[in-house]
């Protein structure tokens, strides 16, 4: 069984937007409170997070997440990567580096945005990441990689205990993700002109932050029970599907259920939006769980 929980369904600023007085931002319906887009996937005994934006900490707390086998990043925008420093809490529980799966271009941004996490001499307590490079080929996510057990040395930071008992400073190693027996199928799309990835897990596909999905990718989206698509506006948008584009794509792909995410306050309240949409295409909301 594959289960996906929407941890966040809001656009880059979230909903409500700071300072906005519109009826959607002022709505009392909890379904109109949207964290930045992220999803938690449970599959084959694995717990996988897709994107770790600025609301990562609140999302982990809201769903009592105590362990992640992998963090998959769709692309390098801050609303999808801004919470990665907070994996420190899980480093401490798991005594392992966080297993992050991303493309080379995303890694380059992480190196810039989080230079301290890749420094030769890391400040004690910096986040521990083990980066698996992926591309658009299917790849395998496993339970925690055998990267050794982290040991916290007071005031000095994380170290790996060697066989001879000595301590080796940790580093944020980068490896290639394995392609044998894949359990995740990347979907290549474009966010304006930026290549981004969506992911298929079993019969559930999660696509966010795309404005174009090349036709050759459609073959990867056949026979879906659940499809997630992003939209931010009724009007054409340079980097996201418009609602009309999302609806057209939803009917072309023909999943049994399509869920809309990355929603903005340009759409009406959740209850009203549900009434405007066909029954097979509905807005997702934070906390919604879908299963196959
Ligand atoms: Zn985004
Ligand atoms: Zn608003
Ligand atoms: Zn984006």
């Amino acid at each position: 069984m594959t289960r996906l929980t929407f941890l966040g369904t809001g656009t880059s600023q979230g909903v409500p937007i700071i300072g906005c007085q519109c009826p959607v931002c002022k709505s009392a319906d909890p379904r109109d409170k949207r964290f930045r887009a992220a999803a938690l996937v449970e599959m084959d005994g694995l717990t996988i997070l897709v994107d770790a934006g600025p609301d990562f900490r609140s999302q982990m707390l809201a769903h009592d997440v105590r362990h992640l086998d992998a963090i998959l990043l769709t692309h390098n925008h801050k609303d999808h990567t801004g919470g990665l420093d907070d994996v420190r809490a899980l480093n401490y529980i798991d005594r392992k580096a966080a297993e992050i799966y991303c493309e080379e271009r995303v890694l380059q941004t992480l190196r810039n945005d989080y230079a301290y996490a890749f420094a030769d001499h890391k400040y004690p307590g910096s986040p521990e990441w083990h980066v698996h490079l992926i591309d658009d080929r299917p790849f395998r996510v496993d339970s925690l990689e055998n990267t050794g057990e982290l040991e916290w040395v007071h005031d000095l930071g994380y170290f790996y205990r060697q066989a001879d008992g000595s301590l080796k400073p940790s580093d944020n190693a980068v490896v290639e993700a394995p392609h044998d027996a894949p359990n995740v199928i990347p979907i290549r799309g474009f966010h304006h002109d930026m290549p981004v990835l969506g992911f298929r897990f079993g019969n559930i596909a999660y696509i966010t932050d795309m404005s174009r999905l090349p036709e050759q990718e459609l073959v990867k989206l056949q026979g879906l029970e659940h499809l997630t698509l992003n939209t931010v506006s009724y009007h054409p948008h340079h980097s996201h599907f418009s609602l009309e584009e999302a609806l057209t794509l939803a009917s072309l792909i023909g999943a049994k259920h399509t869920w809309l995410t990355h929603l903005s306050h340009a759409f009406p309240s959740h209850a009203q939006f549900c009434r405007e949409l066909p029954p097979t295409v509905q807005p997702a909301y934070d906390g919604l769980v879908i299963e196959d």
Side-chain angles (χ1 to χ4, degrees):
M1 192 188 64
T2 306
R3 174 189 292 142
L4 184 148
T5 305
F6 288 92
L7 302 183
T9 56
T11 190
S12 61
Q13 297 192 73
V15 179
I17 289 176
I18 295 172
C20 187
Q21 302 296 307
C22 82
V24 176
C25 288
K26 287 290 175 190
S27 165
D29 185 341
R31 295 171 303 177
D32 288 317
K33 312 250 179 270
R34 302 183 186 277
F35 281 141
R36 266 59 72 90
L40 192 72
V41 176
E42 292 158 276
M43 171 184 79
D44 304 336
L46 299 169
T47 305
I48 300 169
L49 176 70
V50 183
D51 289 333
D55 297 317
F56 170 84
R57 175 177 173 274
S58 304
Q59 291 164 332
M60 295 299 101
L61 290 171
H63 295 270
D64 196 23
V65 177
R66 301 170 199 184
H67 167 82
L68 292 173
D69 291 294
I71 300 174
L72 277 48
L73 301 177
T74 57
H75 66 299
N76 61 10
H77 281 158
K78 257 312 201 301
D79 58 320
H80 300 257
T81 63
L84 282 171
D85 184 80
D86 282 323
V87 302
R88 288 175 295 129
L90 299 176
N91 291 155
Y92 197 76
I93 295 173
D94 282 333
R95 301 199 157 284
K96 303 273 187 193
E99 308 291 340
I100 296 177
Y101 292 69
C102 67
E103 293 194 273
E104 176 75 47
R105 68 175 65 79
V106 179
L107 174 61
Q108 283 172 18
T109 305
L110 297 184
R111 285 188 192 281
N112 287 330
D113 291 358
Y114 294 98
Y116 61 92
F118 293 94
D120 287 340
H121 301 287
K122 291 207 291 186
Y123 193 82
S126 298
E128 296 292 333
W129 302 338
H130 185 220
V131 178
H132 305 247
L133 287 178
I134 56 173
D135 48 35
D136 50 12
R137 288 174 293 165
F139 61 93
R140 178 159 192 85
V141 166
D142 266 319
S143 54
L144 288 174
E145 295 280 312
N146 187 21
T147 48
E149 190 156 305
L150 285 171
E151 207 165 300
W152 174 260
V153 180
H154 187 64
D155 283 348
L156 290 177
Y158 289 106
F159 290 82
Y160 287 112
R161 177 76 63 181
Q162 304 295 286
D164 64 2
S166 64
L167 289 169
K168 172 178 166 282
S170 71
D171 57 354
N172 282 340
V174 177
V175 299
E176 175 133 356
H179 300 286
D180 301 339
N183 52 8
V184 183
I185 300 172
I187 314 294
R188 168 65 73 210
F190 294 87
H191 187 26
H192 183 52
D193 55 2
M194 173 196 286
V196 300
L197 291 178
F199 300 106
R200 177 173 182 159
F201 311 90
N203 287 326
I204 297 180
Y206 181 83
I207 284 174
T208 190
D209 290 58
M210 288 189 190
S211 49
R212 187 163 70 82
L213 180 66
E215 210 178 317
Q216 70 264 21
E217 297 300 283
L218 295 178
V219 66
K220 301 178 185 171
L221 297 168
Q222 288 175 355
L224 286 176
E225 185 74 19
H226 295 283
L227 168 68
T228 300
L229 290 175
N230 59 296
T231 179
V232 296
S233 169
Y234 288 106
H235 307 293
H237 190 277
H238 65 287
S239 59
H240 288 273
F241 297 127
S242 66
L243 178 60
E244 193 181 323
E245 287 166 336
L247 292 174
T248 303
L249 200 50
S251 69
L252 191 64
I253 293 169
K256 282 197 192 140
H257 308 276
T258 299
W259 304 96
L260 302 176
T261 192
H262 217 285
L263 299 170
S264 76
H265 67 167
F267 294 119
S269 65
H270 183 85
Q272 173 62 29
F273 200 22
C274 287
R275 290 192 286 272
E276 287 183 11
L277 293 167
T280 55
V281 183
Q282 290 287 292
Y285 54 90
D286 292 19
L288 171 69
V289 179
I290 55 178
E291 281 182 356
D292 178 52

